[in-house]
Amino acid sequence: MAKITKDHIQKIAEVADLPLTSEEATNLTTVMQGFIDTWRKMWPTDFDDSTPPEVFFPDWSTPAND
Amino acid sequence: MTEITITGIAGGLANKQFSSREITEALLKRIAQLDPQIKAFNCVSADRARKEADASDGRRRTGRTLGVLDGVPYVAKDLVETAGVETTGSSEVLKGYIPKEDATVAARLREAGCVLLGKTNTHQFAYGVQTPPTRNPWDMKTPRVPGGSSGGTGAAVAAQMTPYGLGTDTGGSIRIPSCLNGITGLKATFGRIPKDGVLVMSFSYDHVGPMCWTAEDVAIVLNVTAGHSPRDPNSAKMPVEDYTKNLNAGVKGLRVGVPTNYFISHFPEVTKNFEESAQALKKLGTELVSVKVPPSMDLCQSVGFAYVLAETAAWHGPRLRRQEMDYWDDVRSYLKAGEMMLATDYINMQRYRQKINNDFRRMWEEARLDIMLTPTLAVTAAEHGQMMYHCPDGWEETLMSSSIRCTFPFNLTGQPALTVPNGFDEKGLPTGLQIIAKPWADALTLRVGHAYQQVTDWHSKRPKDLAAVAL
C-alpha cells in the first residue's frame, strides 16, 4: 500500500498551484494516508471489472447550456 | 390563531381572514423577535417581501390569484440565488454578491406568487451538518445544532418564522435538519427539481427541495418547482404529475421494506419511534417486509464523501486560491483534501457507486418493495460543539457519520426520500422517519407520509419555549 509523505503532498500542491502551509501539509498527509488505507483496501477483489462509471447520454434536442 | 403552514395560510388568505401583507408583517415581526436567539437568517428581505405581498393582495382583490401558493411567505437557503437579494453561501467569500437572476426554483416560486421573507443560514457552502451559529428551537436552554446544512431553513420553519422554505441536499442536508427540527422535508428524485442558480457542492449529488410541516405542504411546493429547466442539464424531462392528487389514496397493500442492518440506531428512543412508525403503517394495511441491505452499502459514506471532496474542490478551486482565508477552517481542509485525490480513484468511485446502485436495486426488486422505511437519523440533535455521540450500548460514532449514515445512500441511488417527524426522545428532541421509493415515485413517498400524518400528530407539535404568533 502506498506510503504518503509530506513531500508528496507538497509536490501535489505545487503542481496544482494550491497554497498550503507546512501544518496543512502535515495534516493532509495523515488524511490522505487514511483515505488510501481504508478506500484502496476496501476495493473488493471480486469487483466486476466491466462495470463502467455513470453513463452519459448526449441530448441535442434542447439548446446548448452555458 | 392561524397555523403557520402552507395550507393554514393559504386557507386564511382564501377566506379573507387576513391579507398576504398582514401575514407577512406578522412573520417579519416574529423574525425580529426570535431570530436574535435562533440566528436562522443571513438576511431578511423585508422590502421585497412587502412588495410581493402587496402584489399578491392586489391580484386577490381582482380575482387573478395565481394559485394556492399566491401570497404565502417562504425562506430560501442562502445557496439559492435570488435576484436582488444577497446570496453568500454563509461565507465572506461571496459577501456582497447580489444575483441578477433568480435560480429556476426561486423563479418558479416567484411566478406562483410566493413572498420571499429572507435567506437562511447554511453551513458554509453546505459543507457540514451543524450550521453554526443557528440553534435548534426545540431546546432553548442548552444550545443545540439544527442539523445541516439547511439548518437555517429547518430552524426558521420550526420556530414558525415561516411556513416553509427551500433547502438543498447533497448527503442529507434537507432531511437532517428537517428531522432534527421536527418537520417534513423531501429530497426528490435526482433531477426532479432543477438546480441552476443554486451554488454547487457536488454535481453528482446535489438536490434542492422543500422543507415544510406536512407532506401535503411538500406536495404543493413540489407541484410548482418540479420539471426540466434548459439551464440545468441534470434536470430530467420526466413529466410532472400533480403531487397532491393521490395524497389520500391510502397505503393498503403496499410492500414496505424494513432493513435489519446498516440503518440501525443505537439510541433506544430512536429505535422505538421507528418501530412504532412501521407498526402504524402496518395498521393502515401495508405489508412489512424485513430486508437485508447489501454489504456494498457499507462503502456508501466513503464513496459518497470522496466524490463530494473532489467535486466541491473542483468548483471552489479558483476562489480557494484567491480567498482561502475567507473559508472556514473545516471547509478549507476538506477543499484541500479534495485537490489531492487521484483521477483514477475518482473514476473507481464512480464505478463502485454503480455497483452500490445495482446491488441495492437488485435487493429492492427481489423483495418486490414499493417503499422502504428507515430512521432519518440514528440520533437526535447534538449540543453546539459536540463532535461525537456516545450511545448507551457503548457504540460511538462521529457527528458527521451519524448525521449522514441513513440519508447519504439515497443521494448515491438518486431515489426520492421524504422525512416526517415521528416522535421525540427523552429530552424532547425530535426524531424522524425516512420514507424511500423507487426513482420517480416521489408521489408515493408523499402519499405514505400523508397517510402516516393522518393517524399521528407529530407534525402538529411545536417548540414549547417560543412565544405564540399573534395575528
Side-chain angles (χ1 to χ4, degrees):
Chain A
M1 202 66 67
K3 184 87 182 113
I4 305 292
T5 66
K6 188 171 168 179
D7 190 51
H8 290 142
I9 298 294
Q10 285 170 321
K11 284 208 164 59
I12 292 171
E14 208 179 303
V15 167
D17 266 332
L18 179 71
L20 199 71
T21 65
S22 179
E23 185 185 344
E24 283 175 330
T26 302
N27 292 339
L28 272 178
T29 307
T30 310
V31 166
M32 296 317 292
Q33 187 68 62
F35 173 73
I36 283 170
D37 286 348
T38 51
W39 166 248
R40 290 192 191 160
K41 257 194 215 155
M42 285 163 122
W43 187 251
T45 52
D46 61 348
F47 184 60
D48 176 0
D49 281 337
S50 66
T51 303
E54 297 143 36
V55 181
F56 166 68
F57 290 106
D59 180 1
W60 289 26
S61 64
T62 53
N65 294 285
D66 290 330
Chain B
M1 185 170 68
T2 294
E3 219 181 34
I4 307 301
T5 61
I6 292 175
T7 45
I9 290 176
L13 290 169
N15 294 335
K16 298 185 169 49
Q17 284 171 253
F18 44 78
S19 65
S20 177
R21 179 65 184 257
E22 284 169 335
I23 188 72
T24 298
E25 290 292 353
L27 291 174
L28 288 172
K29 184 176 165 191
R30 187 166 171 86
I31 292 167
Q33 285 170 336
L34 290 178
D35 205 49
Q37 301 166 71
I38 306 286
K39 298 182 177 27
F41 283 81
N42 287 350
C43 75
V44 179
S45 48
D47 289 345
R48 173 170 159 168
R50 289 179 175 119
K51 274 199 198 106
E52 288 177 334
D54 288 344
S56 174
D57 288 334
R59 285 191 295 271
R60 197 171 294 278
R61 278 194 294 274
T62 55
R64 294 179 297 117
T65 307
L66 295 168
V68 70
L69 281 174
D70 198 343
V72 178
Y74 83 108
V75 299
K77 181 179 185 178
D78 201 16
L79 286 186
V80 177
E81 291 185 343
T82 42
V85 180
E86 192 181 38
T87 301
T88 68
S90 291
S91 74
E92 290 293 308
V93 178
L94 290 179
K95 191 178 166 69
Y97 169 51
I98 312 252
K100 293 194 178 64
E101 284 188 15
D102 285 325
T104 290
V105 65
R108 288 178 179 173
L109 291 175
R110 193 205 284 249
E111 285 155 17
C114 296
V115 174
L116 179 67
L117 290 169
K119 307 298 289 295
T120 50
N121 192 24
T122 164
H123 204 99
Q124 193 185 62
F125 291 118
Y127 222 150
V129 293
Q130 295 120 299
T131 320
T134 307
R135 66 182 296 170
N136 192 308
W138 288 93
D139 189 346
M140 296 306 289
K141 297 186 179 63
T142 305
R144 290 184 185 272
V145 299
S149 56
S150 312
T153 295
V157 175
Q160 301 182 86
M161 295 190 275
T162 179
Y164 83 101
L166 290 178
T168 68
D169 192 313
T170 300
S173 292
I174 285 174
R175 291 162 288 159
I176 296 164
S178 293
C179 173
L180 297 184
N181 286 285
I183 65 174
T184 299
L186 176 69
K187 181 202 79 66
T189 303
F190 183 79
R192 177 73 291 182
I193 303 176
K195 298 173 300 192
D196 55 278
V198 180
L199 302 182
V200 172
M201 188 183 182
S202 162
F203 298 102
S204 299
Y205 293 144
D206 285 347
H207 301 66
V208 62
M211 298 167 68
C212 312
W213 280 107
T214 66
E216 183 177 7
D217 282 1
V218 167
I220 291 169
V221 179
L222 189 59
N223 272 359
V224 167
T225 53
H228 176 69
S229 163
R231 290 164 55 186
D232 178 6
N234 283 338
S235 66
K237 293 176 186 167
M238 298 287 284
V240 179
E241 57 187 287
D242 177 355
Y243 292 102
T244 61
K245 187 172 161 202
N246 290 318
L247 281 176
N248 290 304
V251 295
K252 198 169 178 192
L254 292 179
R255 282 176 66 85
V256 176
V258 180
T260 57
N261 63 326
Y262 185 83
F263 295 100
I264 303 301
S265 172
H266 295 264
F267 282 98
E269 301 86 14
V270 175
T271 302
K272 171 176 155 298
N273 292 349
F274 174 70
E275 287 168 353
E276 287 177 359
S277 302
Q279 290 305 312
L281 286 170
K282 185 176 176 183
K283 282 197 184 116
L284 289 174
T286 65
E287 181 186 352
L288 300 185
V289 180
S290 291
V291 290
K292 190 157 184 231
V293 170
S296 52
M297 191 58 76
D298 290 337
L299 273 188
C300 170
Q301 285 195 65
S302 303
V303 168
F305 203 68
Y307 248 91
V308 169
L309 280 177
E311 293 187 354
T312 315
W315 196 78
H316 282 276
R319 286 197 188 92
L320 180 65
R321 282 148 178 78
R322 290 195 303 265
Q323 296 173 260
E324 70 160 313
M325 297 319 290
D326 285 338
Y327 285 88
W328 295 355
D329 291 347
D330 59 341
V331 176
R332 191 169 63 249
S333 299
Y334 287 141
L335 291 174
K336 291 192 179 186
E339 297 245 7
M340 298 289 146
M341 196 160 296
L342 293 183
T344 44
D345 283 332
Y346 177 73
I347 297 288
N348 280 332
M349 275 179 271
Q350 289 189 328
R351 297 172 65 205
Y352 204 72
R353 181 191 180 187
Q354 201 66 39
K355 174 177 168 60
I356 291 173
N357 278 338
N358 291 344
D359 290 349
F360 195 79
R361 182 177 173 179
R362 198 172 303 117
M363 173 218 72
W364 189 285
E365 289 176 348
E366 282 172 5
R368 293 179 293 117
L369 300 183
D370 295 297
I371 287 284
M372 177 179 271
L373 301 178
T374 79
T376 307
L377 267 73
V379 296
T380 55
E383 295 182 22
H384 277 184
Q386 179 182 345
M387 299 306 289
M388 287 290 291
Y389 282 93
H390 303 280
C391 305
D393 62 1
W395 175 268
E396 290 187 336
E397 195 168 10
T398 65
L399 177 75
M400 177 65 83
S401 174
S402 57
S403 296
I404 66 176
R405 176 157 56 85
C406 298
T407 53
F408 213 167
F410 307 109
N411 296 80
L412 267 74
T413 66
Q415 291 169 263
L418 179 77
T419 180
V420 296
N422 73 339
F424 297 90
D425 73 0
E426 80 283 7
K427 296 189 201 70
L429 300 170
T431 63
L433 173 71
Q434 183 170 232
I435 301 165
I436 305 109
K438 293 193 298 195
W440 308 108
D442 304 71
L444 185 57
T445 68
L446 295 166
R447 190 172 121 206
V448 174
H450 183 71
Y452 179 76
Q453 287 177 340
Q454 300 309 293
V455 297
T456 60
D457 66 352
W458 305 116
H459 55 285
S460 305
K461 305 295 184 192
R462 299 291 182 266
K464 290 193 186 63
D465 296 335
L466 303 177
V469 175
L471 266 178

